Amino acid sequence: MSDPVKFLDLGKHHAPLRAAIDAAMREVIDTSAFILGKQVGEFEQAFAAYCGAKHCIGVASGTDALHLILRGLGIGPGDEVILPANTFIATALAVEFAGATVRLVDVEEETYNINPAKIEAAITSKTKAILPVHLCGRMANMRTITAIAKAHGLHLIEDACQAHGAKQGDTRAGSFGVAAAFSFYPGKNIGAFGDGGAITTNDEVLAEKIRKLRNYGQKIKHRHEFVGFNSRLDTLQAAVLKIKLLHLDAANALRAQHAERYRKLLAGTSVRVPTAASPGEHVYHLFMIRHPQRDMLATFLKERGIETAVHYPFPIHLMPAFAHLGKERGSFPVAEQLCAEILSLPMYPELTNAEITRVASAIREFSTR
Ligand SMILES: *Cc1c(COP(=O)(O)O)cnc(C)c1O
């Protein structure tokens, strides 16, 4: 059998950047400024500018980014936060960490994102925030959701952990709501060499609060103003991310080209491909197709050396960790159906046309057998 088609090949992505990254890491090691060294501030500035936001605060992970935004806004016990039913578990975990209550809303068939038409029914007197997720790198319908948040006086928080660089109109993910959370988990569109995350915001007071929250509740050393956390972006990771950010747009453009190629080659097969979004509105963190016999298709591809993944096999309400929400199967039918049918195909900038053709041919074979 020929070489496997990998789901993701970080080695290929890092090879051309390696010399620059090695030098940047050596510089950090030479200065021993491992905690909040100058590269953290430099990356924060660059990433804020890239997202079109005034402030960026580097933190230890995307999960922490979400958690610290909620804390920074004073959202906690007795408050409700609205989020989609089919996101990565971390979106819901962050709400729990803050002591607030998760209110799930079903998603749209076409975009897999929170269905704006179903948000208002979930708003109660306890609702404090709407937390849409730009799943797979496709923007949630921010125009409509912004209007709903405004009309009800709610905070709008973006989970942009899969959407570095995505735009809606002229506005980038990370500058729509009061704040946005990004993850730099290695496999994300910009990944660190370990865990990392960031918050973007235009709100100076919130930015200042979160800077303290990530650093034991202090601005000045040993002046602890409130109970904070230890959640800082490592200087080493910031040094890596500074270099990777320079290549993000080019990498996202390649992802979009691969998506077009998949779309063309998969037309007329039995899989359902995601509909095209306007250029820039989707940065293809994942290319997620649908098929009623998803598990059979995944096995068929695996036997032909093609790696795939499922993001995510269970909606939030059907996982034991969230049994306390008391939502039975059938509560969020679209999310439940998606979880049974979705399959993420290999997607990363360095994927070759030959590999995409091989994946598409195998799917065509499955679909005509
Ligand atoms: C990756 C991810 C997170 C969490 O980020 P970590 O850095 O892994 O903590 C949160 N939400 C979504 C949608 C993600 O994809």
Side-chain angles (χ1 to χ4, degrees):
M1 202 176 10
S2 40
D3 286 344
V5 181
K6 289 192 177 178
F7 182 70
L8 170 67
D9 191 337
L10 287 174
K12 273 192 189 162
H13 187 62
H14 293 146
L17 310 178
R18 189 58 193 271
I21 290 176
D22 283 354
M25 290 181 85
R26 201 172 313 118
E27 194 190 331
V28 175
I29 295 166
D30 286 346
T31 60
S32 300
F34 296 112
I35 302 297
L36 297 179
K38 74 171 165 60
Q39 289 83 353
V40 176
E42 288 167 3
F43 173 70
E44 288 173 341
Q45 270 194 359
F47 196 63
Y50 177 83
C51 295
K54 287 201 188 107
H55 310 277
C56 170
I57 305 107
V59 294
S61 70
T63 308
D64 279 6
L66 289 162
H67 175 209
L68 296 190
I69 291 169
L70 295 166
R71 292 263 177 183
L73 291 169
I75 294 172
D79 299 333
E80 295 179 357
V81 178
I82 290 174
L83 56 127
N86 67 330
T87 179
F88 181 54
I89 191 79
T91 321
L93 289 178
V95 175
E96 296 276 334
F97 292 168
T101 301
V102 168
R103 284 285 300 209
L104 300 176
V105 166
D106 210 354
V107 294
E108 297 176 315
E109 285 264 348
E110 286 298 316
T111 66
Y112 312 160
N113 281 329
I114 193 165
N115 188 337
K118 294 187 176 167
I119 291 176
E120 283 190 304
I123 296 175
T124 72
S125 59
K126 296 177 176 171
T127 308
K128 288 290 179 318
I130 308 175
L131 176 39
V133 179
H134 308 312
L135 201 69
C136 304
R138 184 198 285 264
M139 299 290 298
N141 183 341
M142 295 309 284
R143 197 168 313 163
T144 308
I145 300 169
T146 303
I148 296 169
K150 275 212 176 103
H152 294 268
L154 303 175
H155 294 301
L156 177 58
I157 303 165
E158 293 172 81
D159 182 338
C161 287
Q162 301 190 2
H164 319 75
K167 269 184 178 170
Q168 201 155 88
D170 291 331
T171 311
R172 270 211 212 273
S175 58
F176 276 95
V178 64
F182 289 89
S183 165
F184 304 122
Y185 176 83
K188 300 289 162 92
N189 288 35
I190 330 177
F193 285 5
D195 280 308
I199 292 147
T200 55
T201 179
N202 288 321
D203 182 327
E204 183 154 2
V205 175
L206 180 64
E208 187 78 354
K209 179 90 194 270
I210 292 173
R211 273 184 206 289
K212 293 174 190 167
L213 274 169
R214 75 167 172 185
N215 195 24
Y216 316 114
Q218 68 184 0
K219 180 173 184 184
I220 302 163
K221 204 171 168 79
H222 303 310
R223 304 268 175 86
H224 302 280
E225 301 171 35
F226 47 79
V227 176
F229 300 85
N230 176 355
S231 179
R232 300 160 302 206
L233 179 66
D234 287 332
T235 314
L236 278 169
Q237 303 301 356
V240 172
L241 292 167
K242 253 179 72 185
I243 292 165
K244 287 205 165 183
L245 181 57
L246 303 174
H247 301 274
L248 176 61
D249 282 341
N252 282 344
L254 286 169
R255 288 172 183 269
Q257 276 178 30
H258 299 338
E260 278 320 301
R261 194 169 188 88
Y262 268 134
R263 261 195 203 100
K264 214 166 80 199
L265 296 177
L266 291 173
T269 67
S270 58
V271 301
R272 190 158 151 188
V273 297
T275 52
S278 307
E281 297 206 355
H282 199 324
V283 291
Y284 296 98
H285 173 58
L286 299 169
F287 190 83
M288 216 185 255
I289 61 166
R290 288 175 68 175
H291 197 283
Q293 277 117 30
R294 186 265 315 282
D295 292 338
M296 276 170 65
L297 173 59
T299 305
F300 186 89
L301 294 175
K302 192 174 174 203
E303 286 165 1
R304 282 152 189 78
I306 296 164
E307 296 178 0
T308 60
V310 178
H311 302 89
Y312 299 94
F314 309 105
I316 301 295
H317 62 291
L318 298 183
M319 283 193 267
F322 283 89
H324 60 276
L325 297 181
K327 296 289 182 190
E328 303 286 311
R329 187 173 290 279
S331 302
F332 305 103
V334 180
E336 290 168 23
Q337 180 91 26
L338 284 173
C339 290
E341 296 187 354
I342 49 175
L343 188 66
S344 303
L345 300 183
M347 173 56 85
Y348 59 93
E350 295 72 25
L351 194 66
T352 65
N353 287 345
E355 286 172 319
I356 295 169
T357 302
R358 219 176 110 196
V359 175
S361 304
I363 292 175
R364 188 166 293 280
E365 193 190 329
F366 178 82
S367 115
T368 52
R369 83 207 186 290

